[in-house]
Amino acid sequence: MLRDQLNRPLLDLRISVTDRCNFRCVYCMPEIEGKEYCFLKREQLMTFEEIYRLANIFVGLGVRKIRLTGGEPLLRKEIDVLAGMLANIEGLQDISLTTNGFLLKKYAGKLKKAGVNRINVSLDALNDEVFAKLNGNKAKSAVILEGIEEAVSNGLTVKVNMVVKKGWNDQEILPMARFFKEKGIILRFIEYMDVGTLNGWKMDEVVTSKEIHDFINKEMPLEPLEANYLGEVAKRYRYVDSKVEIGFISSVSQAFCSDCTRIRLSADGKIFTCLFASNGVDILSVMRNGANDEELKSIIESIWSNRRDHYSEERGKAVSAKKRIEMSYIGG
Ligand code: SAM
Ligand code: SF4
Ligand code: SF4
């Protein structure tokens, strides 16, 4: 099995299928006066065939799970066709997708049919005023909830992800926990991260997993659960009076780099070995210049075997001042 310099295997591939998004979340791609986002051109994007070819090579190197992300992956035309192509790769155990849910109602059935097993839906508030402030005034929560319902009724496993930003949506923690407990859907709290530069991240805007846990635990007591598998990023809990789970992704307060088995492919075909990497390797250009599968494979092997990334464990040290790629581009 391919291992990096810190002995971590390569198991997960996140593919960003577009850098565009229909939301402007304050912590990711904020609306900034006078700033126009400059997106990749169509010809810069990997085609489905190119994604499929690279994904096959990754699976040959040990990848077992693929997550489609972005930007907003449901903005990529016929994303279900891509999912269907990937689902046919022998050796791949799981295909999932992370979405803001705005177009999920339309796509849930198609994705399920194509072979997607799991969907993570990002939703930061139920209250529309709070939600609109966070997403750049692009959507109401009811639309996302309808998408979630549609996904569940099509047999997709749904988890909801909530990023908490202090002073913005902390008052929504309990309403969200109560609501999804009632629905029997796993809600996971994600600590607000310093990814990219546009969000103007400050440590004092982070609400830690422990704070959120303690807050919920007072009203609805929680008990810890064992991890499902080695390297699971969310710490799992269960409400004591029900079977429903809840999770905490503590990228800031309790880094999990030592178990990080993820590699990322940006929409224009660059390989990144960490969410906080400054540079990627342009594998798409190598491919378009005629490299064969063996050559591509050995490039990826060499990238992973030389990998040393552990940014979250070093946060705050001088290294964190490096240039950072935006999450909407690198693929969250
Ligand atoms: N557009 C899709 C969505 O929002 O689900 C997929 C891409 S988005 C970049 C993937 C995930 O990253 C989302 O759950 C989002 O909430 C999360 N995210 C974005 N910026 C973040 C930040 N600064 N800190 C923590 N999570 C962040
Ligand atoms: Fe778009 Fe997702 Fe980023 Fe929000 S978090 S701006 S929905 S890519
Ligand atoms: Fe993985 Fe980099 Fe995040 Fe650490 S900081 S968990 S190495 S992506």
Side-chain angles (χ1 to χ4, degrees), residues 101-114:
F102 191 74
L103 297 169
L104 188 55
K105 193 172 175 192
K106 179 172 161 203
Y107 275 106
K110 289 184 184 176
L111 290 168
K112 176 66 186 174
K113 253 191 224 131

Side-chain angles (χ1 to χ4, degrees), residues 206-277:
V206 177
V207 184
T208 65
S209 292
K210 182 173 183 328
E211 289 170 315
I212 300 171
H213 167 280
D214 292 352
F215 190 49
I216 296 173
N217 189 50
K218 261 192 216 149
E219 176 178 311
M220 296 177 280
L222 299 170
E223 61 185 16
L225 294 171
E226 291 290 311
N228 278 320
Y229 50 88
L230 187 76
E232 188 172 32
V233 296
K235 288 268 178 299
R236 298 164 61 224
Y237 286 80
R238 188 176 75 93
Y239 293 104
V240 170
D241 63 356
S242 92
K243 284 205 174 83
V244 181
E245 274 182 36
I246 186 165
F248 299 90
I249 302 180
S250 319
S251 340
V252 177
S253 65
Q254 281 174 287
F256 38 78
C257 300
S258 57
D259 288 332
C260 181
T261 54
R262 290 180 293 280
I263 197 160
R264 290 180 157 83
L265 193 53
S266 63
D268 58 349
K270 295 199 174 78
I271 293 179
F272 291 88
T273 51
C274 178
L275 198 48
F276 297 90

Side-chain angles (χ1 to χ4, degrees), residues 13-271:
L13 169 63
R14 296 197 169 198
I15 306 174
S16 171
V17 292
T18 177
D19 58 338
R20 289 170 195 263
C21 190
N22 43 359
F23 282 16
R24 288 289 176 272
C25 302
V26 286
Y27 48 73
C28 178
M29 203 196 244
E31 200 90 71
I32 299 172
E33 222 188 288
K35 177 179 168 57
E36 282 255 358
Y37 283 95
C38 180
F39 296 110
L40 295 167
K41 297 194 186 75
R42 192 167 174 74
E43 61 272 19
Q44 290 178 286
L45 295 182
M46 292 183 289
T47 63
F48 286 180
E49 286 68 28
E50 287 166 338
I51 294 176
Y52 176 71
R53 186 169 159 206
L54 285 173
N56 258 294
I57 297 172
F58 276 107
V59 172
L61 285 169
V63 162
R64 292 293 164 261
K65 294 182 181 175
I66 291 183
R67 175 170 294 278
L68 299 175
T69 180
E72 174 47 41
L74 298 187
L75 288 183
R76 181 82 190 243
K77 226 170 126 204
E78 301 192 320
I79 181 75
D80 53 306
V81 173
L82 173 66
M85 289 164 72
L86 298 177
N88 282 326
I89 299 179
E90 218 180 290
L92 186 64
Q93 291 167 357
D94 185 61
I95 302 186
S96 58
L97 179 136
T98 302
T99 172
N100 60 29
F102 191 74
L103 297 169
L104 188 55
K105 193 172 175 192
K106 179 172 161 203
Y107 275 106
K110 289 184 184 176
L111 290 168
K112 176 66 186 174
K113 253 191 224 131
V116 173
N117 310 313
R118 301 181 297 117
I119 306 260
N120 288 353
V121 182
S122 308
L123 177 65
D124 300 323
L126 292 171
N127 177 291
D128 276 329
E129 222 174 291
V130 178
F131 188 42
K133 256 179 80 187
L134 278 153
N135 68 36
N137 209 8
K138 302 291 183 196
K140 292 193 190 301
S141 63
V143 179
I144 317 303
L145 295 175
E146 279 176 23
I148 293 174
E149 291 285 345
E150 186 68 15
V152 171
S153 66
N154 273 284
L156 287 157
T157 302
V158 176
K159 286 181 188 155
V160 173
N161 288 337
M162 172 176 180
V163 175
V164 183
K165 185 172 175 192
K166 195 174 280 176
W168 287 67
N169 62 339
D170 14 8
Q171 72 278 36
E172 285 289 297
I173 294 171
L174 274 178
M176 286 278 289
R178 288 185 202 120
F179 183 84
F180 286 106
K181 179 185 179 203
E182 185 64 34
K183 289 261 173 220
I185 291 176
I186 300 178
L187 172 65
R188 300 175 327 159
F189 293 94
I190 305 182
E191 286 178 351
Y192 172 36
M193 286 188 287
D194 49 340
V195 67
T197 46
L198 298 174
N199 58 18
W201 183 87
K202 292 193 213 89
M203 185 64 206
D204 60 15
E205 288 174 334
V206 177
V207 184
T208 65
S209 292
K210 182 173 183 328
E211 289 170 315
I212 300 171
H213 167 280
D214 292 352
F215 190 49
I216 296 173
N217 189 50
K218 261 192 216 149
E219 176 178 311
M220 296 177 280
L222 299 170
E223 61 185 16
L225 294 171
E226 291 290 311
N228 278 320
Y229 50 88
L230 187 76
E232 188 172 32
V233 296
K235 288 268 178 299
R236 298 164 61 224
Y237 286 80
R238 188 176 75 93
Y239 293 104
V240 170
D241 63 356
S242 92
K243 284 205 174 83
V244 181
E245 274 182 36
I246 186 165
F248 299 90
I249 302 180
S250 319
S251 340
V252 177
S253 65
Q254 281 174 287
F256 38 78
C257 300
S258 57
D259 288 332
C260 181
T261 54
R262 290 180 293 280
I263 197 160
R264 290 180 157 83
L265 193 53
S266 63
D268 58 349
K270 295 199 174 78
I271 293 179

